[in-house]
């Protein structure tokens, strides 16, 4: 997840940007339906991952101009975004997206995309934060994870194995 956007927000913005000028911002809507809060409590060093939020995302596109934009392009955009995102969908047990395309007229259709997504819920220390956890105050945010870029290994001759 980016520091400020959920996976659903990222996906919706990508689809809107990819289909401009054929789909207008007021013709696309997105929301979450149901979900599971997967508790974690993992210490990330500079904060905690208290949970993962696994949810059903719905993206509705009204007035989709299926005569001007091949619906297979929309399918390819959705697949490409999910594959490029490097989110470990199989590892996380997330189901593949489903779509319902309802022709409204010869010129347009309503498209409903349902996709299972997962966002991390991370906490960073904040004395005025709204979340009390382990006796301290935190704010919900993306925790920076420091990853080693180099490692020095010294081999000591005659050392114990």
């Amino acid at each position: 997840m980016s520091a400020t956007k959920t996976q659903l927000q990222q996906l919706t913005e990508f689809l809107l940007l990819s289909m401009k000028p054929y789909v207008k911002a007021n013709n696309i809507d997105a929301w979450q339906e149901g979900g599971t809060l997967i508790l974690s409590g993992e210490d990330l060093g500079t904060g905690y991952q208290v949970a993962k939020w696994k949810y059903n995302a719905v993206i509705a596109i009204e007035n989709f101009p299926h005569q001007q934009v091949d619906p297979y392009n929309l399918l390819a955009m959705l697949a490409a975004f999910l594959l490029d995102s490097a989110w470990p969908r199989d590892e996380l047990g997330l189901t593949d997206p489903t779509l319902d395309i309802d022709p409204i007229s010869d010129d347009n259709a309503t498209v409903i995309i349902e996709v299972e997504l997962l966002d991390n819920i991370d906490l960073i220390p904040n004395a005025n934060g709204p979340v009390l956890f382990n006796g301290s105050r935190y704010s919900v945010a993306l925790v920076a994870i420091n990853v080693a870029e180099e490692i020095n290994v010294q081999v000591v001759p005659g050392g114990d194995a």
Side-chain angles (χ1 to χ4, degrees), residues 61-64 66 101-111:
I61 305 169
E62 295 180 350
N63 298 317
F64 179 77
H66 59 85
I101 301 173
D102 184 20
I104 302 301
S105 70
D106 290 342
D107 298 330
N108 67 67
T110 297
V111 179

Side-chain angles (χ1 to χ4, degrees), residues 24-102:
K24 309 289 186 224
N26 61 343
N27 287 341
I28 190 167
D29 196 13
W31 62 90
Q32 299 176 9
E33 288 185 348
T36 303
L37 190 62
I38 304 164
L39 304 180
S40 171
E42 182 181 351
D43 186 343
L44 300 175
T46 57
Y48 292 91
Q49 180 179 96
V50 291
K52 292 183 181 290
W53 175 237
K54 183 177 178 180
Y55 58 94
N56 299 313
V58 180
I59 300 171
I61 305 169
E62 295 180 350
N63 298 317
F64 179 77
H66 59 85
Q67 297 296 336
Q68 295 176 301
V69 178
D70 184 343
Y72 276 75
N73 286 340
L74 174 59
L75 300 176
M77 290 171 198
L78 178 60
F81 182 84
L82 292 172
L83 292 170
D84 278 349
S85 69
W87 297 323
R89 295 187 60 78
D90 290 340
E91 180 183 314
L92 298 170
L94 302 176
T95 59
D96 288 335
T98 60
L99 286 89
D100 182 28
I101 301 173
D102 184 20

